[in-house]
Amino acid sequence: MSPRLAIGIDIGGTKVAGGVVDESGAILHRARRDTPHRSTSPSVVEDTIVEAVDELLRHVDPDEVVAVGIGAAGFVAADRATVVFAPHLSWRNEPLHDALSARIRYPVTVDNDANAAAWAEATHGAAQGESHVVVITLGTGIGGALIVDGQVQRGRHGIAGEFGHMQIVPNGMRCECGNRGCWEQYASGNALVRETKGMMEAGSPVVADLLARLGGDPGALTGPFITEAAREGDPTARELIADIGTWLGVGMANLAAAFDPGLFVVGGGVSAADEMLLAPARNAFRKQLPGRGYRPEARIVRAVLGSDAGLIGAAELARAGRG
């Protein structure tokens, strides 16, 4: 029997990552593009996706590919065809499935990127064997997904799992979704960079060493830079990551009250901070958990598939759709 390969495309706030994925979850070939700026037209994003798919097809026998899966950073409707709203992209009620199906000769599956990442962790990663799982993806913003008894729970309208837009601070910071106080404004990569940059621009001496490492340019600051500085022992970088972890734990306690999972899996780029992030998250989770001390606690672990989870999951969902 010939291999049943699938192509997965993960569309995030900063990059479009693609890969050819085999049935074991291994990525055979990769493609990467920068995500077009959100002010550009939807067709530009579609062009980027098609270019990535075409590049990947040049590395395999096209007859061995059975489907293409798209993990989109946004609200995907229950029809799994329309991106209703994407805070970091220009999509508003965008018929992405139909637009791509007209240009890609394989069956196309569209889903939320966090659903895709969660499915990857459930099939090939940290959530294997667990019946009730909440997956949190910490990147530019916060995505999330809920898996119960081997099924992704998408909700009545397909938009379940947008945990990053839970309000955790009434009248808090304005979010790109239009509301105030959303969780992702306090526990995401954007939040980490914003807080650090704000201290630099305010002239705080506690970030002087970090600023010097950037050559005095706060505009060069990135989340991975802060994580690397923390790994090398910078106390302010460690403190800033711990703050993000504390907010992460607060939000997860709210989710535990709602869903009672057995396991939280934390992925996305910010999870590279590992225990510097997860240890304070667990502490805050225990302090905020309703009924603490009298109920079983969900485990909190780091995702094992890293930044590949979205594209692997998108490919797996597409392959599953093909039977």
Side-chain angles (χ1 to χ4, degrees), residues 131-221:
S131 63
H132 290 66
V133 183
V134 171
V135 176
I136 306 297
T137 57
L138 299 182
T140 305
I142 295 180
L146 175 67
I147 296 178
V148 176
D149 293 331
Q151 298 291 325
V152 178
Q153 303 299 304
R154 296 182 175 87
R156 172 64 180 84
H157 302 101
I159 308 176
E162 291 295 337
F163 306 138
H165 299 288
M166 300 185 304
Q167 185 188 68
I168 62 169
V169 179
N171 297 315
M173 284 180 282
R174 179 72 71 181
C175 180
E176 290 174 307
C177 77
N179 290 332
R180 288 186 177 275
C182 291
W183 190 24
E184 71 173 42
Q185 293 303 310
Y186 301 87
S188 66
N190 272 357
L192 178 62
V193 171
R194 184 194 63 233
E195 290 300 303
T196 309
K197 186 178 293 186
M199 294 172 69
M200 289 177 175
E201 292 174 344
S204 172
V206 300
V207 291
D209 288 346
L210 289 174
L211 186 58
R213 291 173 57 154
L214 291 169
D217 179 15
L221 184 68

Side-chain angles (χ1 to χ4, degrees), residues 5-310:
L5 304 178
I7 289 176
I9 303 292
D10 180 22
I11 308 165
T14 58
K15 72 179 184 299
V16 175
V20 178
V21 182
D22 69 15
E23 290 179 283
S24 73
I27 301 172
L28 306 183
H29 303 282
R30 297 175 182 270
R32 187 191 188 284
R33 300 285 190 281
D34 291 336
T35 303
H37 192 273
R38 62 184 167 190
S39 64
T40 60
S41 70
S43 64
V44 176
V45 185
E46 292 154 17
D47 290 344
T48 304
I49 295 168
V50 173
E51 288 171 6
V53 171
D54 287 344
E55 177 183 339
L56 291 166
L57 288 171
R58 290 196 290 270
H59 295 282
V60 297
D61 180 350
D63 291 335
E64 294 181 349
V65 176
V66 297
V68 174
I70 309 297
F75 299 177
V76 178
D79 61 7
R80 295 175 67 189
T82 306
V83 181
V84 177
F85 175 74
H88 305 290
L89 296 165
S90 59
W91 290 331
R92 303 292 183 268
N93 290 311
E94 179 66 20
L96 184 61
H97 176 273
D98 291 349
L100 293 177
S101 294
R103 303 177 63 182
I104 295 173
R105 64 187 176 106
Y106 300 96
V108 174
T109 296
V110 177
D111 211 325
N112 171 266
D113 60 341
N115 286 344
W119 188 244
E121 292 292 340
T123 54
H124 299 295
Q128 293 179 81
E130 175 60 56
S131 63
H132 290 66
V133 183
V134 171
V135 176
I136 306 297
T137 57
L138 299 182
T140 305
I142 295 180
L146 175 67
I147 296 178
V148 176
D149 293 331
Q151 298 291 325
V152 178
Q153 303 299 304
R154 296 182 175 87
R156 172 64 180 84
H157 302 101
I159 308 176
E162 291 295 337
F163 306 138
H165 299 288
M166 300 185 304
Q167 185 188 68
I168 62 169
V169 179
N171 297 315
M173 284 180 282
R174 179 72 71 181
C175 180
E176 290 174 307
C177 77
N179 290 332
R180 288 186 177 275
C182 291
W183 190 24
E184 71 173 42
Q185 293 303 310
Y186 301 87
S188 66
N190 272 357
L192 178 62
V193 171
R194 184 194 63 233
E195 290 300 303
T196 309
K197 186 178 293 186
M199 294 172 69
M200 289 177 175
E201 292 174 344
S204 172
V206 300
V207 291
D209 288 346
L210 289 174
L211 186 58
R213 291 173 57 154
L214 291 169
D217 179 15
L221 184 68
T222 65
F225 169 86
I226 300 168
T227 299
E228 184 60 28
R231 285 199 189 100
E232 294 176 1
D234 185 274
T236 302
R238 285 177 170 268
E239 181 180 340
L240 287 160
I241 289 172
D243 287 345
I244 296 297
T246 297
W247 281 112
L248 174 62
V250 170
M252 287 194 294
N254 290 340
L255 293 173
F259 299 119
D260 187 29
L263 178 69
F264 284 96
V265 177
V266 181
V270 182
S271 71
D274 205 1
E275 287 302 307
M276 292 185 293
L277 175 81
L278 295 185
R282 293 188 190 102
N283 289 336
F285 177 78
R286 294 187 185 105
K287 290 177 181 178
Q288 297 291 325
L289 186 66
R292 51 195 173 274
Y294 296 95
R295 59 179 288 173
E297 286 186 15
R299 292 182 297 126
I300 299 172
V301 302
R302 184 183 174 191
V304 299
L305 297 176
S307 60
D308 291 333

